[in-house]
Amino acid sequence: MTSEQRSTKPVDILLVEDNPGDVRLTKEAFKDGMIKNTLHVVNDGVDALDFLFQRNDYADAPRPDLVLLDLNLPRKNGDEVLEELHGDSDRRHIPIIVLTSSEAEIDIVQSYELCANGYLTKPVDPTEFIDMILELERFWLSIMRLPTETDLD
């Protein structure tokens, strides 16, 4: 698959974020991006796991190509989501980028120990936040080759 083919393939992204302002900025950044994508949003860890395991209200949810995961979430935090996904052989290959306000070294180490594929600290400035999302999109959706279900068969 060429980079041109990858850039035209629709991509499903799951954003797990409880801050409405960060959701709005992320949507704005992806809207401005060059890759066709569908951004799905859930607001807590329980809904994230339901979406990823296609259960309850999310029984018909698509398997995301990429997950953007906040750590500080209601009901189940990001570490709990990472831990449950890492333990599942069908879902542990979905790339997960931690996107959080925490700069704490312990959070960074813990996220990588739970097999996060990346860790980004959200900039406070809205313009810098949008720029970071555009760079994340360019790297993960244009340059990197993401696993598909057929790759895993």
Side-chain angles (χ1 to χ4, degrees), residues 13-67:
I13 302 162
L14 176 61
L15 174 63
V16 186
E17 175 61 66
D18 63 324
N19 181 319
D22 289 346
V23 170
R24 183 185 52 76
L25 286 173
T26 305
K27 284 181 176 181
E28 184 178 319
F30 276 116
K31 183 179 177 187
D32 293 342
M34 300 297 288
I35 296 172
K36 295 178 185 176
N37 56 62
T38 303
L39 186 64
H40 307 273
V41 179
V42 295
N43 304 105
D44 64 55
V46 171
D47 283 347
L49 290 168
D50 283 351
F51 189 102
L52 289 159
F53 284 92
Q54 297 170 310
R55 59 188 182 211
N56 300 323
D57 291 342
Y58 301 99
D60 295 325
R63 178 188 179 101
D65 299 294
L66 180 67
V67 176

Side-chain angles (χ1 to χ4, degrees), residues 5-114:
Q5 288 170 318
R6 279 195 300 272
S7 68
T8 59
K9 177 192 173 286
V11 176
D12 283 296
I13 302 162
L14 176 61
L15 174 63
V16 186
E17 175 61 66
D18 63 324
N19 181 319
D22 289 346
V23 170
R24 183 185 52 76
L25 286 173
T26 305
K27 284 181 176 181
E28 184 178 319
F30 276 116
K31 183 179 177 187
D32 293 342
M34 300 297 288
I35 296 172
K36 295 178 185 176
N37 56 62
T38 303
L39 186 64
H40 307 273
V41 179
V42 295
N43 304 105
D44 64 55
V46 171
D47 283 347
L49 290 168
D50 283 351
F51 189 102
L52 289 159
F53 284 92
Q54 297 170 310
R55 59 188 182 211
N56 300 323
D57 291 342
Y58 301 99
D60 295 325
R63 178 188 179 101
D65 299 294
L66 180 67
V67 176
L68 304 177
L69 177 67
D70 189 14
L71 290 181
N72 303 311
L73 297 166
R75 302 201 304 161
K76 279 196 179 205
N77 67 35
D79 287 343
E80 293 171 303
V81 172
L82 282 169
E83 191 169 355
E84 194 162 333
L85 289 175
H86 179 64
D88 183 85
S89 61
D90 291 335
R91 288 162 186 82
R92 76 173 71 162
H93 301 289
I94 299 171
I96 301 174
I97 306 302
V98 172
L99 183 61
T100 188
S101 57
S102 174
E103 294 182 17
E105 187 69 24
I106 192 162
D107 288 338
I108 297 167
V109 170
Q110 179 72 12
S111 293
Y112 282 113
E113 284 179 354
L114 293 171

Side-chain angles (χ1 to χ4, degrees), residues 3 6-7 11 13 30 33-35 65-66 68 95-97 112 117-120 131-146:
S3 62
R6 279 195 300 272
S7 68
V11 176
I13 302 162
F30 276 116
M34 300 297 288
I35 296 172
D65 299 294
L66 180 67
L68 304 177
I96 301 174
I97 306 302
Y112 282 113
N117 299 92
Y119 189 102
L120 297 172
D131 288 346
M132 183 187 68
I133 294 296
L134 290 172
E135 283 300 313
L136 178 139
E137 180 180 46
R138 186 182 77 75
F139 179 76
W140 279 99
L141 304 179
S142 293
I143 296 172
M144 296 297 296
R145 181 165 185 257
L146 299 174

